[in-house]
Amino acid sequence: MYDAGKIIAGLVIFLVLVTSPMWYKAATGTKGEAPELKYVTESKVCVAETEYMKAFHMDLLNEWRDDVVRRDDRQYEGLEGKVYEKSLSRTCMSCHSNKDEFCDRCHDYAGVSVYCWDCHVEPAEVQ
Amino acid sequence: MNALLALFGVAILFVIAYLGVDVLGLHSLFGIVLPYAAIFLFLIGFVVRIFQWAKSPVPFRITTTSGQQKSLNFIKSNNLESPHNTTGVIGRMALEILFFRSLFRNTKAEVKENERIVYGPDKWLWAAALAFHWSFLIVFLRHYRFFAEPVPEFILKMQAVDGLFQVGTPIVFLTGLILLASVTFLFLRRVVLPQVRYISLLADYFALFVIMAIAISGLLMRHFYKVDIVGVKELAMTLVGFKPVVPEGIGFIFYVHLFFVCVLFAYFPFSKLMHLGGVFLSPTRNLANTNRIKRHINPWNYEVKTHTYEEYEDEFRDVMREAGLPLEKES
């Protein structure tokens, strides 16, 4: 085999890179479990079903923003005909009041950066 | 015909994923067993393939110079295009691997009126290939956010640049769109140009279609049929930790995406995609042009039996002296 040293060194580097999640996990010592969320609420239902909210809450927020800002439409009919105000700070955050222990947990876990707080004032406990 | 067969193959793969996950509900097969099998095949296959190539003899330098070779001091040489030392070779390899230097030389031949053949530059393949490979690399690296907890800072930075325009929710990543656009271009090129279509094989189309399927299912999953992303990361992290658990309720489109990725990984070592490793072993790129500066001896030359004149004279000196022949040494 010609240049065996170089080829094997290259292969080892490649294998370490491909399997790097394993080494990263060992180095940080985290289990990587899904974060636990803290709910501060008396209400047991959200504006939509949990499954939908998990995957599509960003779409709902986007629609709400467009409705309120562009069409002055502030009423949202949620589950069982209950009417909510389309507002992140007043509706969502009245139950999920703790940004640190609700929003950020999953977003940090999945590496998602949101731009909600570019305009909205962050809730008090963060400041 | 080849393209249709490949498309048919990819369609069958989609049906397999659909039947397996949506109809039969084999979540742990598609979420655990196949990913492990695919990555195992990929790693072992990759190493075996590289060793097979590494065993081939490389006795001589194959020089494909496109620059002046190093010779006399007053002749200006080009160490990047015709390297004569390791630094030059590293430079040439870097240009080749990072910027596809050889592809940049691509030309096209056209028959003009009065049957004259005209050669001209053709940078489209180079541009599309560069866009494709770089965006694929960035898309691949971005997925690291599912395999690392906490998510490394450079991944977040990369995402921020990638989603610079903040279009849509979740934000559209530019590389995802560039990947799909460039792979589509590379496919259309094979179909539209008659010469390229003539030399295109089933394997060429298949790899393109699988990558296209991965890009499409990924974009659909991110922007249309959204899935529980926390569940996806949970699955990925348990796979990394070898204690796999499939969380409930991850959308079907995720399994389609994952299945196509598994197919690509498993297929990788047996396909032309191995140019990922192979490019490093290209003898026309990674050997310095030292044919004249250094003497290279074929390592498997056998020992040639020689009989020099001195030895000849030693052997026949007496006879030669008797015959009165001239001798170089008298005794």
Side-chain angles (χ1 to χ4, degrees), chain A residues 110-112, chain B residues 142-148 151 155 159 222 233:
Chain A
V112 177
Chain B
R142 272 205 279 102
H143 281 73
Y144 210 83
R145 73 184 169 118
F146 297 114
F147 295 93
V151 182
I155 300 289
Q159 287 192 122
R222 185 172 168 83
K233 179 153 183 178

Side-chain angles (χ1 to χ4, degrees), chain B residues 202-241:
Chain B
L202 183 63
D204 299 319
Y205 291 114
F206 183 71
L208 283 176
F209 281 142
V210 170
I211 292 168
M212 225 185 265
I214 290 172
I216 292 172
S217 58
L219 285 169
L220 282 179
M221 172 162 58
R222 185 172 168 83
H223 298 292
F224 298 97
Y225 308 107
K226 291 167 191 174
V227 297
D228 175 16
I229 207 78
V230 170
V232 171
K233 179 153 183 178
E234 256 187 298
L235 173 61
M237 289 307 294
T238 57
L239 282 173
V240 171

Side-chain angles (χ1 to χ4, degrees), chain B residues 15-269:
Chain B
V15 171
I16 289 173
Y18 172 74
L19 286 179
V21 177
D22 218 38
V23 178
L24 299 172
L26 304 168
H27 291 93
S28 41
L29 175 68
F30 283 83
I32 297 170
V33 179
L34 287 180
Y36 275 137
I39 197 78
F40 183 75
L41 255 179
F42 173 76
L43 292 175
I44 301 294
F46 198 98
V47 172
V48 169
R49 196 78 193 261
I50 291 291
F51 269 97
Q52 279 172 357
W53 281 336
K55 270 194 253 162
S56 358
V58 190
F60 294 123
R61 309 286 154 138
I62 306 167
T63 53
T64 53
T65 65
S66 35
Q68 176 62 48
Q69 183 185 175
K70 170 85 177 157
S71 55
L72 298 165
N73 277 333
F74 61 87
I75 300 173
K76 201 180 165 194
S77 65
N78 187 340
N79 201 23
L80 270 182
E81 302 288 13
S82 178
H84 64 271
N85 54 23
T86 312
T87 324
V89 168
I90 290 172
R92 176 161 76 175
M93 286 300 282
L95 275 182
E96 186 64 38
I97 290 161
L98 301 176
F99 305 110
F100 307 167
R101 181 71 182 95
S102 306
L103 213 52
F104 195 69
R105 288 188 233 282
N106 191 31
T107 54
K108 63 173 176 217
E110 269 179 310
V111 181
K112 294 265 171 165
E113 64 277 17
N114 57 37
E115 300 196 346
R116 217 153 46 88
I117 191 160
V118 175
Y119 295 91
D122 185 9
K123 305 294 185 212
W124 282 103
L125 175 62
W126 171 79
L130 206 60
F132 170 76
H133 283 84
W134 274 105
S135 52
F136 204 169
L137 176 69
I138 293 170
V139 169
F140 181 79
L141 288 178
R142 272 205 279 102
H143 281 73
Y144 210 83
R145 73 184 169 118
F146 297 114
F147 295 93
E149 176 60 30
V151 182
E153 193 59 35
F154 81 97
I155 300 289
L156 295 175
K157 291 234 168 72
M158 206 160 64
Q159 287 192 122
V161 177
D162 206 346
L164 191 69
F165 293 107
Q166 296 196 332
V167 178
T169 46
I171 292 167
V172 173
F173 285 134
L174 293 175
T175 45
L177 297 181
I178 298 173
L179 174 64
L180 185 60
S182 52
V183 75
T184 309
F185 175 86
L186 293 174
F187 162 67
L188 288 177
R189 176 183 157 270
R190 285 198 181 276
V191 185
V192 172
L193 299 180
Q195 303 95 316
V196 185
R197 187 170 61 221
Y198 184 73
I199 58 166
S200 291
L201 306 172
L202 183 63
D204 299 319
Y205 291 114
F206 183 71
L208 283 176
F209 281 142
V210 170
I211 292 168
M212 225 185 265
I214 290 172
I216 292 172
S217 58
L219 285 169
L220 282 179
M221 172 162 58
R222 185 172 168 83
H223 298 292
F224 298 97
Y225 308 107
K226 291 167 191 174
V227 297
D228 175 16
I229 207 78
V230 170
V232 171
K233 179 153 183 178
E234 256 187 298
L235 173 61
M237 289 307 294
T238 57
L239 282 173
V240 171
F242 297 106
K243 284 171 193 148
V245 185
V246 183
E248 286 289 310
I250 304 177
F252 158 66
I253 186 84
F254 166 74
Y255 292 96
V256 174
H257 186 64
L258 183 64
F259 183 58
F260 277 122
V261 173
C262 289
V263 168
L264 190 73
F265 267 85
Y267 175 61
F268 201 97

